[in-house]
Amino acid sequence: MIIKILKSNYVKHCALLLAVSILSMSFKMPGNADVVLNAGTNIPLETVSMIQSDLVSVGQTIDFRVKYDVKVEGKTVVAAGAIAKGQVMRAQRAKGLGKEGFIEIQIKSVTAADGQEVFLTGGNVYQEGEDKQSLSILLGVFVCILFLTMKGKNAQVPPGYQVNTAVASTMTIKI
């Protein structure tokens, strides 16, 4: 009986169908894919800690954190929590005569899932403190000259301050 089943046409057809199915399967291994991260892809960032104009200096590096996963084709290319780097371009502490302090930070880059440095654009942070110049001059002229030494407020960027940046140039990320 077994010999009769083995010699039947159904077994030959099933064997042929099975052979074609196996040969048409893809043997590409998942996990070694290259994904293209296009220029202009949005990367949301937030500040890690308080940044104050009186405590930073020009050229200092400031850390930012990626707020959400950045995905391309369903694959994470920049993970949430990845550290982005910014650089202080201009900073001034509050001065006499009520002049406010200010700070300007340019976001430079973030680390991708494969360890590559992704350069960013369009994510400058600029904050000014409170201006007390008019008050200082008025009080200095009409009340007491010592009010001219009154300082304005320093600029502050609170932790969790959100900044939207974009990828500067198209690049390939290995996932």
Side-chain angles (χ1 to χ4, degrees):
M1 176 141 168
I2 294 178
I3 295 173
K4 187 175 183 182
I5 294 173
L6 290 176
K7 288 185 179 183
S8 75
N9 285 335
Y10 293 116
V11 172
K12 291 178 185 177
H13 290 298
C14 288
L16 180 62
L17 183 62
L18 186 61
V20 169
S21 297
I22 289 174
L23 291 175
S24 66
M25 292 172 73
S26 174
F27 292 104
K28 185 176 179 183
M29 297 297 290
N32 292 334
D34 289 345
V35 177
V36 176
L37 179 60
N38 291 318
T41 302
N42 187 38
I43 299 183
L45 302 175
E46 63 183 358
T47 54
V48 175
S49 60
M50 174 72 79
I51 305 166
Q52 295 180 330
S53 62
D54 60 334
L55 300 177
V56 297
S57 58
V58 174
Q60 181 177 342
T61 301
I62 305 291
D63 288 341
F64 291 82
R65 179 178 37 239
V66 176
K67 190 162 177 133
Y68 306 109
D69 284 341
V70 178
K71 295 186 177 192
V72 175
E73 299 174 11
K75 297 179 176 132
T76 302
V77 292
V78 179
I83 299 298
K85 299 292 182 184
Q87 184 176 22
V88 177
M89 302 308 286
R90 297 185 320 147
Q92 178 177 306
R93 65 180 59 208
K95 293 187 172 185
L97 268 180
K99 291 192 179 189
E100 75 278 3
F102 63 85
I103 184 168
E104 182 179 1
I105 303 168
Q106 183 179 21
I107 312 294
K108 296 288 189 177
S109 65
V110 67
T111 305
D114 67 350
Q116 290 187 67
E117 187 173 16
V118 177
F119 293 102
L120 303 173
T121 185
N124 290 356
V125 176
Y126 182 80
Q127 289 288 341
E128 289 183 348
E130 185 181 345
D131 180 16
K132 294 184 178 181
Q133 192 169 6
S134 299
L135 178 65
S136 174
I137 291 172
L138 284 174
L139 290 175
V141 170
F142 293 115
V143 178
C144 178
I145 198 160
L146 294 176
F147 279 109
L148 294 176
T149 61
M150 180 188 306
K151 292 184 178 183
K153 296 279 183 177
N154 286 305
Q156 295 182 342
V157 181
Y161 181 84
Q162 295 182 16
V163 182
N164 283 321
T165 61
V167 176
S169 61
T170 301
M171 59 188 306
T172 303
I173 308 293
K174 297 179 189 303
I175 302 294

